[in-house]
Amino acid sequence: MRTDTSPIPALNPELAGRVAVVTGAAQGMGAVFMEELARRDIHVVGGDLDGDRMAAVAEKVEGVGMRMDVTDPADHDALLARALDAYGRVDFWINNAGVFPQAEFTEIPPDQLTSTYQVNVNGVAYGGQTAARHMRDHGGGVIVNMASVAGVRVRVTRAAYNSSKAAVRHLTSCMAVELGPYGIRVNAIAPGFIDTEMTRWVQEDPVALERALTTVPLRRIGAPVEVFGALYFLLSDSARYVTGAVLPVDGGSQHV
Ligand SMILES: NC(=O)c1ccc[n+]([C@@H]2O[C@H](COP(=O)([O-])OP(=O)(O)OC[C@H]3O[C@@H](n4cnc5c(N)ncnc54)[C@H](O)[C@@H]3O)[C@@H](O)[C@H]2O)c1
C-alpha cells in the first residue's frame, strides 16, 4: 500500500490567529507542521539547529524561523521572545526536535546516551518549562511532545532512543498533572514509521522495509501530514478536555 499524502480535512476555524512554536521545524514532520498550521491561518515560529534550512521553511510559510539548540534552555527563551516579538502571544508549543542514533546495546558510546537524552528528553523539558512559564501567566495553552512507538515497543540497536522516548511519555504525564491547574494541556503523539529523513535508510533498503512493514498492521508507511492530523486535534478546542494523553499515530504498530 502506498503512503497517503492527501490533505487532512479537519476544520477548526477557532484556531485561526493563534500562535504556534515548533522545534525541529527545518525538515521532516516539523516542517510539515509549520506548513499545515500556516495553511490554517495559525502564526508559526520554528526553531532548529539548521538555521539556513529553518529560514527557508519560515519564508515559505510566511512565518518566523530561528536557529536554536533545544539542549540549551536559553535558546528556548530566545525562541519564545522571537514569537512574542512577532505575534505578541504563544498559544501552542510543539516539542518536536529529536535524534535517532543507532548502536548495539553493548557498543553504545557514553556520548550517544548523553546527547540523545539531551535532545530528546531535556529538550522537551526545557521547551515545556519555557512554554509553561509564559502560558501560566497568560491564561493557558497547549503543549505537544513528540514521543514514539519506540517508547513502548523495542526497536533493536536503538536503546538510547527507545528509552528517551519512554521518558518523553512519562514526562508528558508529569507536565500534564503539574500544569493542568494553570489551564495548560500537555499531550504527546507517538508516531510509528513515518516518511521523513529519519527513516530514509529503511525505505531505501527493500529487505529492511519489508521487515519493518510486518510490524505495521496497516502495512504502509505513514505520511507526516497524517501525524499533523493528530496534532491538529490535540491543539484544537475539540480536545479541550484531553490532557496527559499519548496518541499513537502508527498504523497499529504499538500492538505488534
Ligand atoms: N520519522 C519517524 O518515523 C518518527 C517516528 C516516531 C517519532 N518520531 C519523532 O518525531 C520527531 C520529528 O521526527 P522527523 O522524522 O521529522 O525527524 P527529522 O530528522 O526529519 O527532523 C528532526 C529535526 O530536528 C532538528 N534537531 C535535531 N537536534 C536538534 C537540536 N538539538 N536543536 C534543534 N533542532 C534539532 C534537526 O535539525 C531536524 O531538522 C522526532 O522527535 C522523532 O524522534 C519520528
Side-chain angles (χ1 to χ4, degrees):
M1 245 184 280
R2 306 190 67 189
T3 303
D4 186 352
T5 56
S6 57
I8 293 294
L11 275 177
N12 286 79
E14 82 278 3
L15 301 191
R18 297 197 201 172
V19 182
V21 173
V22 185
T23 68
Q27 66 173 43
M29 283 189 255
V32 170
F33 296 165
M34 294 278 284
E35 285 173 27
E36 295 295 324
L37 291 166
R39 188 169 295 152
R40 289 159 175 85
D41 296 325
I42 296 165
H43 301 297
V44 286
V45 179
D48 201 286
L49 261 188
D50 187 334
D52 291 341
R53 218 193 277 227
M54 187 67 257
V57 170
E59 192 181 331
K60 185 173 163 202
V61 303
E62 296 180 12
V64 173
M66 178 183 140
R67 188 203 173 274
M68 58 90 67
D69 183 343
V70 295
T71 67
D72 184 348
D75 279 15
H76 290 277
D77 290 342
L79 190 61
L80 173 70
R82 281 292 292 277
L84 295 180
D85 192 38
Y87 303 116
R89 55 190 277 183
V90 167
D91 304 286
F92 309 134
W93 192 287
I94 299 133
N95 286 310
N96 170 72
V99 290
F100 186 50
Q102 183 170 31
E104 284 185 30
F105 177 72
T106 48
E107 309 310 317
I108 299 174
D111 65 340
Q112 182 183 111
L113 277 169
T114 309
S115 60
T116 306
Y117 291 165
Q118 279 276 359
V119 177
N120 293 3
V121 185
N122 295 16
V124 170
Y126 299 149
Q129 287 178 309
T130 294
R133 286 187 205 110
H134 170 75
M135 292 171 180
R136 180 185 61 192
D137 298 335
H138 294 84
V142 187
I143 299 171
V144 177
N145 302 327
M146 290 300 272
S148 170
V149 66
V152 285
R153 285 282 170 272
V154 171
R155 299 293 178 244
V156 289
T157 72
R158 305 282 180 177
Y161 181 78
N162 299 343
S163 54
S164 75
K165 291 299 185 178
V168 170
R169 295 174 70 93
H170 200 60
L171 187 55
T172 300
S173 303
C174 299
M175 291 164 68
V177 170
E178 281 202 42
L179 301 176
Y182 301 111
I184 303 171
R185 296 190 293 108
V186 189
N187 294 292
I189 296 174
F193 186 6
I194 309 298
D195 179 16
T196 70
E197 283 308 310
M198 197 173 262
T199 56
R200 193 70 57 219
W201 65 279
V202 194
Q203 301 192 54
E204 285 167 358
D205 175 345
V207 178
L209 180 61
E210 200 176 319
R211 197 180 326 117
L213 287 180
T214 62
T215 67
V216 185
L218 290 183
R219 292 288 185 269
R220 65 174 178 82
I221 300 169
V225 74
E226 295 178 312
V227 181
F228 173 75
L231 173 68
Y232 190 51
F233 164 70
L234 289 172
L235 297 180
S236 78
D237 294 358
S238 302
R240 67 190 176 204
Y241 202 55
V242 179
T243 196
V246 182
L247 183 50
V249 185
D250 64 358
S253 296
Q254 66 168 328
H255 303 288
V256 179

